[in-house]
Amino acid sequence: MLGTDMKRDRAEGFDALVGPHLEVLWRAARSLSNGNHDAEDLIQETLLRAYRSLDTFDGRYPRAWLLTIMRNANINRHRRRRPVLLDHADDIERAQQGGEVAASAEDVAVAAMTSPALVDALERLSPRHRDVVVLVDVEGLSYNEAAAIIGVPVGTVMSRLHRARHQMRARLNRVSDQWSNQP
Amino acid sequence: MNPLDLYDMTRRRGGSRCTEIGRRIQAYLDGQLDADTMAKVARHLDACRRCGLTAADYTALKQALAHSSATVPAPQIERLRNFARSLGEGDLAD
């Protein structure tokens, strides 16, 4: 059992540890969730898990540590519910579930966009490509942070992101050409 | 003039140098290249209209996506900060 001083140090240490990363956690959680309320629930679950495993954390890369915990918490909650993000298996499951899948990462980003052409270009991406665009370009996470939350190597994030932007650019250019060629 | 710039200005459209730079444009815009390569790509983009336009497209796309991000709501962040604090306080009360 921890003494009072150790408990106080632990409590204050946790507060100082997670405080600077709450905004990034929020952006990541929003990309994994259906709305703000859902995102807040996911972050609370993440913080709870982080606090419980604080003794095993080596103190290095707290942001990556928190994002990895969030990823696992998200996988766990979707075992009980439905898949929202991320990889091939999820893509398949998502396709199998068809219209039952609720708004997620990309839906939230799409809803915030004002350009129909941009929305269309994002919606036409495969889910795995759309996810990295939302995490990196919309929510502003770094390649490393996106890799931690998706659970793939940084190189995979980069290649997916580049391919996704390439497809979006091509799509937007086609739309632009159509407009400029109209009589 | 830097020989590479001269090459960029006189190269045929879509030449091998454009192909090489084209593969690095996105990483360049994301600031993911080493300093030497960043400088090399920057020089090429200054000199090559076609690659410059490609970079401008990607820049516009990144800016449009970044602007689509909703702001982080301060009340929720404050609630989460309090939640994090409460975890430790609960521990202390045990």
Side-chain angles (χ1 to χ4, degrees):
Chain A
M1 176 152 318
L2 292 174
T4 306
D5 287 348
M6 286 182 70
K7 281 184 175 180
R8 184 174 297 113
D9 288 348
R10 192 173 190 269
E12 290 173 359
F14 184 71
D15 192 21
L17 182 73
V18 302
H21 306 295
L22 288 175
E23 288 203 11
V24 168
L25 288 180
W26 179 267
R27 293 184 184 283
R30 188 165 51 194
S31 78
L32 295 167
S33 304
N34 174 20
N36 284 359
H37 187 73
D38 201 29
E40 199 170 341
D41 283 350
L42 177 58
I43 299 174
Q44 287 193 356
E45 174 66 22
T46 302
L47 293 174
L48 191 58
R49 285 176 176 228
Y51 189 75
R52 285 175 179 159
S53 61
L54 191 58
D55 294 334
T56 60
F57 175 51
D58 64 6
R60 298 164 63 210
Y61 311 116
R63 187 174 293 194
W65 175 64
L66 289 165
L67 288 170
T68 303
I69 291 173
M70 176 178 284
R71 174 174 181 266
N72 292 332
N74 186 55
I75 289 170
N76 193 263
R77 71 178 183 159
H78 283 98
R79 282 198 185 118
R80 299 191 301 267
R81 282 197 328 215
R82 62 177 189 281
V84 170
L85 198 65
L86 297 171
D87 229 323
H88 188 56
D90 287 343
D91 298 348
I92 293 169
E93 203 168 343
R94 187 187 302 195
Q96 287 171 341
Q97 295 199 1
E100 293 179 10
V101 179
S104 68
E106 50 277 17
D107 297 321
V108 175
V110 164
M113 290 183 181
T114 52
S115 161
L118 190 64
V119 172
D120 183 58
L122 188 61
E123 282 183 339
R124 284 173 184 269
L125 298 175
S126 71
R128 63 166 62 184
H129 287 97
R130 203 180 307 135
D131 289 335
V132 290
V133 171
V134 169
L135 286 169
V136 175
D137 283 342
V138 177
E139 297 296 354
L141 270 63
S142 70
Y143 289 7
N144 282 325
E145 290 163 356
I149 198 75
I150 298 174
V152 296
V154 174
T156 304
V157 167
M158 198 180 332
S159 61
R160 286 184 189 176
L161 184 64
H162 291 186
R163 181 178 291 271
R165 287 181 188 146
H166 177 79
Q167 290 173 358
M168 289 187 76
R169 173 176 174 253
R171 176 78 197 162
L172 290 166
N173 280 340
R174 277 200 299 277
V175 171
S176 173
D177 289 345
Q178 284 167 5
W179 275 97
S180 57
N181 290 336
Q182 279 186 348
Chain B
M1 176 178 286
N2 185 311
L4 287 175
D5 294 344
L6 184 62
Y7 175 78
D8 284 332
M9 291 179 71
T10 56
R11 72 160 190 26
R12 287 191 305 169
R13 178 184 166 88
S16 61
R17 184 155 182 78
C18 289
T19 305
E20 178 200 336
I21 297 293
R23 280 199 294 265
R24 293 186 161 89
I25 286 178
Q26 293 197 50
Y28 166 80
L29 294 174
D30 289 341
Q32 296 286 328
L33 301 173
D34 62 73
D36 285 350
T37 313
M38 289 287 282
K40 190 169 82 171
V41 175
R43 276 200 306 271
H44 181 87
L45 295 182
D46 277 347
C48 173
R49 183 172 181 273
R50 182 167 176 259
C51 291
L53 289 174
T54 301
D57 275 358
Y58 282 123
T59 301
L61 177 60
K62 279 164 60 74
Q63 286 175 347
L65 289 165
H67 286 149
S68 70
S69 175
T71 54
V72 178
Q76 270 95 337
I77 294 296
E78 193 52 36
R79 266 208 304 274
L80 288 165
R81 204 177 297 281
N82 290 334
F83 178 79
R85 210 165 284 145
S86 74
L87 290 172
E89 287 168 357
D91 212 9
L92 279 172
D94 287 342

